[in-house]
Amino acid sequence: MKCFSPVIYRSLVPCKASALKTMVLHSEQLQYVIKQISLESEESCDVIQDQAAEILDEMGQNLNLAAIRMFALSLSKIFKALFQKVCVNEEGIQGLAQAIHEHPVVLLPSHRSYIDFLMMSYVLYTYDLALPVIAAGMDFMSMKIVGELLRMSGAFFMRRTFRGNKLYWAIFAEYVKTMLRNGYAPVEFFVEGQRSRTCKTLNPKFGLLSVIMEPFFKGEVFDTYLVPISISYERILEESLYAYELLGVPKPKESTSGLLKARKILSDNFGSIHVFFGKPMSLRSLASGRLNRSHYNLIPRYLSQKPSEDIQKFISDVAYKVELHQIANMVLSPGVLIAAILLQNFPSLSYNLLVDKTLWLKDLTEAFGGYLEWPDNMSASKVVRSSLDLHANITKLVDGEVFLFDNNPSGVLTEELVFSRAVAVIMCASYRNQMVNIYARPALVVLAMKMAQSSRSEDVYKVFDFLRNLFSKEFIFFPGFEKKDFEEGCFLLSKCDVVQGSPHEMVMTEKGINTAAFLLRMFQPFFDGYRLAFRHLLEDMSKKWSEQQYVSTVRSFVMQCILAGTTTCYEALSSDMQKNALASFVHLGLVKVGKLEGQSTFTVNEAAIADFAGKLGLQVPVEKPPVARL
């Protein structure tokens, strides 16, 4: 019931949501597209205008303060039931308030949970900042009551895909740009495009980012601020749903009845949330000295044009820059460290040894630049015990031993047992994944040293470059910074006395053997998973398959390998790793993409097999020629 007088854009001319739609419908750009479609389809402009109005009604937000107050009251009660605390960096809030006042603002949070956009609006409401308009999927709109409540809280709905629908794209783009140009409200969307089921940062999507940059490129706004925001969860609400989804169980459809059934989780403890608002990034400063926007003046503003290669590269670089800021500002909990240790020691580890290893890993993570929340007023043993209690659905403490999953007393592996173990491993991995980007560069340097033919720096770099390309879909690397990433990895290793290097040679120190072994084990599941995916390709190199067929068959292949005892890489059963491996193989030329009845198909590029196998350290089976019979 508090007085809500938010900080708003200084040049804002207040208008209602209905007036915003009218502005979009009568904009030069949309009218031009309507005329073009009318000429192509031979339908009247009035008919297409009516279609556009219907799309806008389906899409548009309807900010309503009364609904927001009711939502805020509900969320307050829900959050207090679910979470122990929500921590916000207030200097980031102050920077955001100033940015909102000066120029149009785009909020770019990380995306790990449905809670993300609710928490963002709740925090901004609490600090008297302008509430954002949020790009949300159509799934939410179909939820009775909840969908309309989200709309009145600032959500505008977009279809998951509208490729080829010229009218829909024009309306959506113009709607977003109109809100941005007028400074109507901060625009919020997720640069990853979807929730990360693995809790690793996903490779960015560029479509919506290019839309919000266009008003700046065309000189319609003086500047736009991009604000990277990191939301870190001590325990994720959807952790078990994600694990089942990654193992092939269909995702449940969003519905109000499903939401009501899920209310039993209100009795669970999900720990703390940290929301870190990064420093606002000026689009004008980022483009300064790099982009020439003058060519936008050569044609009317209402005409859309395909971005030049320079513009596309700029959009891509900004997207990766945002994600790297998100990663750097993530707050890691003790549970993240514990998860990384347990995954290297399953099925069980002594509790006392776990405490010692957690303390050791805490120091290493801080030395590598990780930002940890570690209670100063508690002993290490109590911190670890508290974290194990929080994640009691994954781990068990029995007689001084911490178990990730139960030992199999019969010694017989079944598919059901493998599946239940995989659920536990993938849930645990989702917490370890929160810190893999911190370790990616030094770990790949260590792996490259192990795989290189010699200790010469140039040989190690060649292998590092291959591994960086191979895992470019798993971890976030800034495009074109191969040498810089290698140097950063070497610097962190030498800083911790793991490697001694010169411009010509790299040597592992005796002191650094344990650290190097830990880094190798942390990244072993990714390496093993990709090797298994590659071995699966060799099963039938002449076959054509869709992505769905590939995921299904590679999962069966990995399951058989686990049952046969030839691998223990449960993470290779994850559809995320399987799809990333396929995308990487396409990127490296190992797999070719074709089209069949409008669907992408994949075939093995046999010419690349031997070279790729050699780099992975695998033998390619050579078929013996048939013996001629006399």
Side-chain angles (χ1 to χ4, degrees):
M1 300 302 295
K2 70 172 187 172
C3 177
F4 182 58
S5 51
V7 174
I8 57 173
Y9 177 42
R10 63 187 173 190
S11 302
L12 172 66
V13 178
C15 69
K16 293 183 178 178
S18 56
L20 195 67
K21 291 178 186 175
T22 304
M23 290 166 65
V24 174
L25 274 174
H26 293 99
S27 66
E28 282 186 309
Q29 185 157 349
L30 186 56
Q31 287 301 312
Y32 176 78
V33 171
I34 287 172
K35 287 173 186 173
Q36 290 293 107
I37 294 172
S38 175
L39 288 171
E40 291 167 8
S41 64
E42 297 182 353
E43 277 190 293
S44 74
C45 288
D46 290 341
V47 170
I48 300 168
Q49 181 90 1
D50 290 343
Q51 291 173 7
E54 285 176 16
I55 291 170
L56 260 176
D57 287 338
E58 173 194 80
M59 181 188 297
Q61 53 78 27
N62 186 22
L63 268 172
N64 179 293
L65 190 56
I68 287 162
R69 289 186 184 282
M70 190 177 82
F71 213 4
L73 178 65
S74 306
L75 289 178
S76 178
K77 293 180 179 297
I78 291 168
F79 289 160
K80 283 175 182 176
L82 290 173
F83 305 109
Q84 293 172 353
K85 60 184 177 182
V86 178
C87 303
V88 179
N89 65 320
E90 293 198 331
E91 69 277 10
I93 289 286
Q94 291 163 9
L96 176 59
Q98 187 178 345
I100 288 173
H101 182 63
E102 290 177 356
H103 296 292
V105 165
V106 180
L107 304 174
L108 300 168
S110 56
H111 201 14
R112 304 289 176 272
S113 169
Y114 279 144
I115 294 292
D116 293 333
F117 66 90
L118 299 175
M119 182 57 69
M120 282 294 303
S121 295
Y122 186 75
V123 168
L124 296 183
Y125 178 77
T126 303
Y127 281 97
D128 266 351
L129 295 176
L131 291 171
V133 286
I134 308 153
M138 292 294 286
D139 315 337
F140 294 104
M141 198 184 82
S142 60
M143 295 173 71
K144 293 178 182 176
I145 304 171
V146 174
E148 201 52 40
L149 190 55
L150 288 171
R151 190 191 295 277
M152 290 190 288
S153 301
F156 62 96
F157 300 100
M158 57 186 286
R159 297 172 189 172
R160 288 293 179 191
T161 178
F162 39 88
R163 185 175 294 172
N165 190 331
K166 196 173 177 181
L167 180 62
Y168 192 93
W169 172 251
I171 293 166
F172 178 77
E174 188 59 26
Y175 187 67
V176 173
K177 288 185 285 187
T178 300
M179 289 190 290
L180 197 72
R181 281 192 297 257
N182 293 6
Y184 179 83
V187 176
E188 178 187 327
F189 67 91
F190 302 103
V191 75
E192 294 168 273
Q194 60 178 330
R195 288 174 299 159
S196 171
R197 271 70 172 169
T198 60
C199 294
K200 285 189 280 90
T201 301
L202 304 177
N203 276 257
K205 302 289 188 291
F206 307 124
L208 200 40
L209 202 58
S210 66
V211 170
I212 61 99
M213 287 187 187
E214 194 175 304
F216 169 72
F217 293 152
K218 291 185 173 180
E220 295 171 316
V221 295
F222 180 77
D223 199 358
T224 302
Y225 280 130
L226 310 179
V227 184
I229 301 162
S230 308
I231 306 176
S232 313
Y233 295 89
E234 196 171 4
R235 184 181 166 202
I236 295 158
L237 213 62
E238 304 97 325
E239 57 181 1
S240 59
L241 282 175
Y242 287 166
Y244 282 100
E245 197 177 326
L246 290 168
L247 290 169
V249 177
K251 169 191 166 188
K253 191 177 185 298
E254 287 84 358
S255 66
T256 305
S257 59
L259 186 65
L260 293 173
K261 286 175 188 173
R263 68 185 185 277
K264 62 184 179 182
I265 66 170
L266 293 174
S267 58
D268 277 2
N269 175 17
F270 287 87
S272 306
I273 299 179
H274 286 80
V275 184
F276 191 100
F277 290 85
K279 186 178 177 182
M281 298 159 56
S282 160
L283 200 52
R284 192 174 191 84
S285 298
L286 291 169
S288 178
R290 177 168 175 182
L291 288 184
N292 179 7
R293 297 181 287 152
S294 60
H295 69 276
Y296 279 100
N297 297 328
L298 302 176
I299 62 170
R301 283 177 175 169
Y302 62 82
L303 289 179
S304 60
Q305 55 180 306
K306 187 180 178 182
S308 65
E309 284 187 17
D310 286 349
I311 293 286
Q312 288 180 30
K313 178 73 167 60
F314 176 74
I315 293 168
S316 167
D317 287 355
V318 170
Y320 278 100
K321 196 177 183 74
V322 166
E323 290 200 339
L324 289 168
H325 277 291
Q326 289 176 347
I327 291 165
N329 294 328
M330 284 288 181
V331 178
L332 306 176
S333 66
V336 170
L337 310 182
I338 292 167
I341 294 163
L342 288 178
L343 284 169
Q344 297 186 16
N345 296 276
F346 63 71
S348 71
L349 181 68
S350 151
Y351 176 74
N352 291 333
L353 187 55
L354 176 62
V355 173
D356 292 341
K357 284 180 176 286
T358 303
L359 275 174
W360 172 82
L361 185 53
K362 169 183 175 287
D363 294 338
L364 184 66
T365 302
E366 288 175 338
F368 277 16
Y371 183 29
L372 274 164
E373 185 208 20
W374 187 274
D376 294 326
N377 57 346
M378 289 172 67
S379 66
S381 181
K382 283 185 178 178
V383 170
V384 172
R385 183 58 191 264
S386 172
S387 190
L388 291 176
D389 290 343
L390 183 69
H391 297 285
N393 60 324
I394 305 176
T395 60
K396 290 180 183 176
L397 178 58
V398 182
D399 299 330
E401 286 279 315
V402 181
F403 289 85
L404 183 57
F405 51 71
D406 295 331
N407 254 327
N408 181 18
S410 68
V412 179
L413 269 178
T414 62
E415 286 198 13
E416 291 77 12
L417 184 59
V418 170
F419 185 88
S420 68
R421 285 184 174 183
V423 169
V425 168
I426 287 172
M427 284 170 70
C428 194
S430 70
Y431 294 99
R432 176 215 58 204
N433 286 344
Q434 293 178 32
M435 69 176 191
V436 290
N437 268 291
I438 294 169
Y439 283 96
R441 289 152 189 81
L444 292 186
V445 171
V446 171
L447 185 54
M449 289 177 70
K450 182 183 176 185
M451 294 172 64
Q453 294 178 346
S454 75
S455 59
R456 291 192 311 166
S457 299
E458 60 188 59
D459 289 339
V460 175
Y461 172 71
K462 283 177 186 174
V463 179
F464 173 87
D465 187 41
F466 165 72
L467 292 171
R468 186 183 181 277
N469 276 323
L470 181 66
F471 295 124
S472 61
K473 309 301 177 187
E474 294 286 348
F475 315 118
I476 302 301
F477 301 110
F478 197 88
F481 275 37
E482 293 84 358
K483 198 73 177 174
K484 188 174 179 180
D485 285 338
F486 179 69
E487 288 168 357
E488 183 186 329
C490 293
F491 168 76
L492 290 172
L493 291 170
S494 61
K495 174 185 169 185
C496 297
D497 293 329
V498 179
V499 167
Q500 285 180 346
S502 69
H504 306 292
E505 192 174 25
M506 298 177 65
V507 181
M508 193 77 65
T509 66
E510 194 171 333
K511 183 182 175 182
I513 288 173
N514 288 339
T515 303
F518 173 83
L519 293 174
L520 288 173
R521 288 195 300 269
M522 181 189 279
F523 283 79
Q524 197 68 42
F526 300 102
F527 191 65
D528 287 350
Y530 276 53
R531 281 165 63 114
L532 284 165
F534 177 70
R535 280 174 52 197
H536 169 66
L537 290 183
L538 302 179
E539 294 278 293
D540 186 356
M541 290 191 281
S542 61
K543 190 177 177 182
K544 279 187 180 180
W545 17 261
S546 66
E547 183 182 73
Q548 191 175 359
Q549 290 168 335
Y550 168 82
V551 167
S552 176
T553 55
V554 78
R555 184 180 285 130
S556 298
F557 174 76
V558 173
M559 175 66 80
Q560 294 310 310
C561 289
I562 292 172
L563 291 171
T566 57
T567 185
T568 56
C569 186
Y570 290 90
E571 289 182 59
L573 291 167
S574 162
S575 58
D576 180 78
M577 184 177 287
Q578 292 153 6
K579 289 175 183 177
N580 286 344
L582 179 60
S584 179
F585 294 161
V586 170
H587 172 66
L588 293 171
L590 182 65
V591 169
K592 295 183 284 190
V593 184
K595 285 282 182 184
L596 183 64
E597 297 177 358
Q599 188 181 28
S600 294
T601 59
F602 301 89
T603 51
V604 177
N605 178 12
E606 295 186 39
I609 287 287
D611 180 57
F612 192 83
K615 288 177 179 177
L616 279 182
L618 291 171
Q619 294 290 324
V620 179
V622 179
E623 290 187 17
K624 294 180 181 178
V627 178
R629 295 190 178 185
L630 297 174

